[in-house]
Amino acid sequence: MAATDPSESLFVRPLGAVERNPTALKLILGGKLRELRVAAGLDPADVDGRLGFSRSKTSRIELGRHGCKLADAIALLDLYGVESEERVEEFLRLVDQSRRPDWWRSFNDVLSDFFTPLVALESAAERIRTYEPFYVPGLLQTPAYTRAVIQAGPGQLLAHDVMRRVDLRQERQGRLDQADAPYLWAVIDESVLLRAVGGREVMRAQLEHLVALMERPRITLQIAPLDVSAAAGVGTGVTYLRFALGDLKDAVYIEHLTDSTFTQKPQIVEQYRNMLDRMGACALTPARTAAVLRERLAQY
């Protein structure tokens, strides 16, 4: 069978930070395998049957839910007619990288299933946009503020579990300090500034931290006045991940009371992206936001 992909590479280049993110690589590899399968005129059941896969294994690989073994990748590429040794070698190298352990798996003891997709993919994004109605966004929190937020949540947590959750948030923040880290654009509700989470000293340190973070070129922070956030009708936290690669679809993470929604469905993603656009357009400018933060600090 002739090769189904005439391009020099099977992937959009450069991959950048994505190559350090096994979860993102699984999604990209799965999407590329889906393209090759469709071009070869096969459906998933055909592939499962021809290669002796268990039922739905091909679909799970294509959705990034099942890691692709090197032997399976070789068999799939051969079936789909990818004959170029260079392309096969590139694909297999990325398959190997996708099978490395994700850094966040060391926090599985405290990482909720519904939170995992966001943690797994945020460092692979080109841009992170978030709106928070109740707290300072997690990626901008001080350890003391994080601890207070966690302790105020439902249920009684052991001190060790609280510490582990704080460490997880700090690890997420640290990964955004890398040279090719995402740009972070955060909008917070004005009411967040009125809540002295953890007490006055904790909140003062948090406000000082926000002012300092606004000096960083990759961070934009805006405050949404109460009338703006009320008019927008958004009563929950939203995070939008913008990926630079066409091989990886943008995603949105929507928080609920006890769980969340993480989706890459274009219609839903576009709806929340538009909402964030409107919120950012109506919120205070970054310069005015910095001034308001300093004014609030003066009250402590």
Side-chain angles (χ1 to χ4, degrees), residues 36-253:
L36 293 171
R37 173 181 58 75
V38 171
L42 300 170
D43 63 34
D46 291 332
V47 177
D48 291 339
R50 292 195 189 190
L51 298 183
F53 287 173
S54 60
R55 183 178 179 183
S56 301
K57 179 176 178 178
T58 298
S59 294
R60 293 196 301 274
I61 290 174
E62 291 180 356
L63 292 171
R65 297 173 183 170
H66 190 293
C68 187
K69 297 178 181 179
L70 289 173
D72 291 341
I74 291 171
L76 287 165
L77 294 176
D78 181 61
L79 179 62
Y80 298 155
V82 179
E83 299 173 345
S84 166
E85 291 185 9
E86 185 175 331
R87 294 175 200 165
V88 171
E89 288 177 3
E90 177 188 34
F91 198 98
L92 295 182
R93 180 176 63 80
L94 292 178
V95 168
D96 186 57
Q97 290 176 239
S98 76
R99 296 181 61 80
R100 295 173 304 176
D102 291 281
W103 68 267
W104 46 266
R105 292 195 181 278
S106 63
F107 290 94
N108 274 344
D109 55 322
V110 294
L111 185 57
S112 303
D113 290 341
F114 65 80
F115 194 45
T116 297
L118 176 64
V119 173
L121 286 172
E122 64 186 0
S123 63
E126 177 191 49
R127 189 174 299 270
I128 300 173
R129 298 177 61 184
T130 186
Y131 167 70
E132 282 291 345
F134 302 117
Y135 300 107
V136 171
L139 293 174
L140 302 179
Q141 292 176 3
T142 65
Y145 186 96
T146 298
R147 188 176 299 107
V149 170
I150 293 170
Q151 291 174 333
Q156 291 285 340
L157 293 175
L158 298 174
H160 171 75
D161 291 337
V162 173
M163 181 185 68
R164 289 281 290 158
R165 284 171 166 80
V166 173
D167 289 345
L168 170 60
R169 197 152 300 180
Q170 290 296 295
E171 180 70 21
R172 290 170 59 207
Q173 293 178 13
R175 290 180 175 273
L176 297 184
D177 289 334
Q178 298 175 354
D180 55 359
Y183 289 91
L184 176 60
W185 177 8
V187 178
I188 60 174
D189 193 90
E190 182 183 11
S191 64
V192 171
L193 305 182
L194 306 178
R195 302 186 185 97
V197 175
R200 292 180 62 85
E201 291 305 314
V202 170
M203 193 63 191
R204 176 180 176 81
Q206 178 63 71
L207 293 174
E208 291 174 340
H209 185 58
L210 290 178
V211 171
L213 287 175
M214 291 189 70
E215 299 297 323
R216 298 190 183 185
R218 288 179 175 267
I219 294 178
T220 298
L221 176 62
Q222 294 179 268
I223 294 172
L226 296 178
D227 57 342
V228 169
S229 56
V234 182
T236 187
V238 176
T239 299
Y240 165 74
L241 303 181
R242 172 78 172 101
F243 298 103
L245 304 173
D247 289 330
L248 194 56
K249 295 180 181 178
D250 294 349
V252 66
Y253 172 85

Side-chain angles (χ1 to χ4, degrees), residues 11-19 28 244-246:
F11 305 95
V12 177
R13 288 293 189 175
L15 292 178
V18 168
E19 292 201 42
I28 289 176
L245 304 173

